[in-house]
Amino acid sequence: MVEPEYLPKVAVSACLLGQNVRYNGGHCNFALFDRLNNYIEKISFCPEVGIGLGTPRPTVRLVNSPAGIRLIEPKSGEDYTQKMAEWSELQSDALINQRISGIVFKKGSPSCGLERVKVYSEKAHPQKNGTGLFSMIFTTLYPHIPAIEEGRLSEPVQAENFLARVAMMDLWWKYEERGWTRSSLQQFHGEHKLLLQSRSPNAPRILGNLLAVNPENKTMNELALEYITGAQEYMGHNVEKRYVAAALRRAVGRLPKNLPKSQRAYLHAWIDYYSKGLVPRIASMALIQQAYEMVESEHLPWKRLFEPFNIVSGVMAKV
Ligand code: SF4
């Protein structure tokens, strides 16, 4: 029997996957997900259907009240806050039990939106400063899972970064399945050093120290969780050319000594072209990868720096 292909799991607001679960009985299909079919397994969720609201249904909204932010159906005045909070905790745990490596939320929704969700109050105009109830509870409980709104996925750089974070999280689950030890944690860190450096130059050192010192004498599982939470936070930083260029130069520096000097200089020249915005990153990365293949070097830190972009170069180039 042929085993089904394993893909990283990403949870997605159901309406973005074309499911007719919105208040108006419709959907808001997000076409990018069709292009990601070969790269991720999608798991849908709909908090409002989850708490038993029908489709179609009256709208709900976030309302600022003396008791804090509430999820209210304005038509009837019904308060769904408690019900949504309970469902959200259970659903968040269920998604983690399925080992999701990322989550995509529908923007603007009082249940799913991650940021700038309208919050209504009696006296003033609505303020766009809220967070959907489910997304708030999920991201509070599981801050290490990469989360994004679909609007940001339309921006290639953000989409690429999100997929790189998903790839990191997916590998973390695979390691976890085998059980964390001090050496497996060190190996995971070693594999991601350059990728982390490409987002934040100090991240490899700070996270490396955490593993070496384990200041609070945590169990290996607790230490692994603290590590991935920190690593994902660094990975959430904006991608800056100078940091990526520095990581690429380090990757060239780690090529075996038998690589001719002229070829090393050629690779550095292409990193300069990238730094000046003359060529895309993928061009210099492809050349460096080719150099690694030529000298038959399986350098793990380099591998993780490249792999996420492999995924993206096949998908995001078409966005
Ligand atoms: S935004 Fe969230 S709650 Fe609203 S329809 Fe989509 S999945 Fe359901």
Side-chain angles (χ1 to χ4, degrees):
M1 199 175 99
V2 182
E3 289 283 323
E5 193 190 352
Y6 171 83
L7 295 172
K9 291 178 181 152
V10 175
V12 185
S13 292
C15 53
L16 295 173
L17 295 175
Q19 297 176 22
N20 293 321
V21 289
R22 294 192 77 202
Y23 69 95
N24 59 6
H27 62 76
C28 32
N29 188 47
F30 190 60
L32 174 66
F33 288 118
D34 299 334
R35 295 180 186 151
L36 292 175
N37 276 343
N38 294 332
Y39 302 93
I40 58 172
E41 179 186 338
K42 291 159 283 186
I43 296 175
S44 66
F45 61 85
C46 176
E48 290 173 22
V49 168
I51 63 168
L53 301 180
T55 306
R57 58 183 172 271
T59 53
V60 288
R61 56 168 60 162
L62 296 178
V63 176
N64 202 352
S65 78
I69 304 283
R70 316 294 298 176
L71 184 69
I72 304 285
E73 183 188 295
K75 203 170 168 189
S76 62
E78 185 93 31
D79 185 338
Y80 290 106
T81 314
Q82 184 63 26
K83 210 170 184 182
M84 181 62 89
E86 285 165 10
W87 183 88
S88 297
E89 281 191 31
L90 289 173
Q91 181 65 19
S92 298
D93 291 347
L95 289 173
I96 289 301
N97 286 339
Q98 291 184 72
R99 304 189 162 205
I100 59 164
S101 296
I103 187 161
V104 182
F105 291 110
K106 170 79 185 79
K107 71 174 176 185
S109 155
S111 306
C112 290
L114 259 185
E115 52 190 345
R116 298 188 307 276
V117 178
K118 278 186 190 165
V119 180
Y120 292 77
S121 63
E122 269 181 24
K123 289 176 190 145
H125 287 299
Q127 302 287 306
K128 275 190 164 182
N129 59 2
T131 302
L133 212 47
F134 173 59
S135 51
M136 186 186 62
I137 288 172
F138 180 88
T139 53
T140 303
L141 288 175
Y142 299 109
H144 58 294
I145 303 294
I148 195 168
E149 288 184 341
E150 91 283 8
R152 295 200 179 275
L153 274 179
S154 302
E155 299 165 28
V157 173
Q158 300 238 23
E160 178 184 309
N161 206 27
F162 177 71
L163 289 175
R165 295 178 68 194
V166 166
M168 177 190 257
M169 198 61 227
D170 183 53
L171 191 67
W172 188 85
W173 285 123
K174 287 184 187 134
Y175 266 73
E176 204 206 45
E177 224 169 79
R178 297 195 290 268
W180 288 110
T181 60
R182 189 166 291 278
S183 91
S184 67
L185 267 170
Q186 295 286 4
Q187 190 183 343
F188 185 89
H189 179 56
E191 286 190 43
H192 289 90
K193 269 185 189 168
L194 284 183
L195 182 60
L196 286 162
Q197 198 204 353
S198 73
R199 300 304 193 275
S200 176
N202 291 328
R205 181 181 51 77
I206 294 169
L207 291 169
N209 277 349
L210 172 74
L211 298 185
V213 179
N214 188 7
E216 290 165 35
N217 213 11
K218 294 191 165 169
T219 65
M220 286 302 116
N221 280 354
E222 289 167 345
L223 191 59
L225 188 59
E226 188 177 345
Y227 174 89
I228 193 66
T229 305
Q232 287 288 355
E233 202 180 316
Y234 285 118
M235 288 292 292
H237 290 190
N238 285 341
V239 180
E240 285 192 39
K241 263 200 173 107
R242 57 191 173 134
Y243 297 154
V244 175
L248 292 176
R249 286 193 199 289
R250 193 162 279 211
V252 172
R254 289 182 186 184
L255 277 158
K257 294 209 176 352
N258 59 353
L259 186 81
K261 264 189 182 167
S262 58
Q263 190 154 3
R264 210 176 284 271
Y266 180 71
L267 295 174
H268 280 296
W270 275 83
I271 297 172
D272 287 341
Y273 296 152
Y274 159 67
S275 297
K276 290 174 186 160
L278 300 173
V279 295
R281 173 177 26 183
I282 195 73
S284 45
M285 294 186 90
L287 287 170
I288 299 170
Q289 192 188 32
Q290 193 184 35
Y292 267 94
E293 279 165 12
M294 271 169 54
V295 293
E296 293 174 349
S297 171
E298 261 282 319
H299 192 56
L300 281 175
W302 163 246
K303 213 173 153 213
R304 295 294 162 218
L305 179 61
F306 193 86
E307 270 185 351
F309 301 109
N310 255 346
I311 299 172
V312 170
S313 60
V315 181
M316 302 315 299
K318 296 173 197 156
V319 174

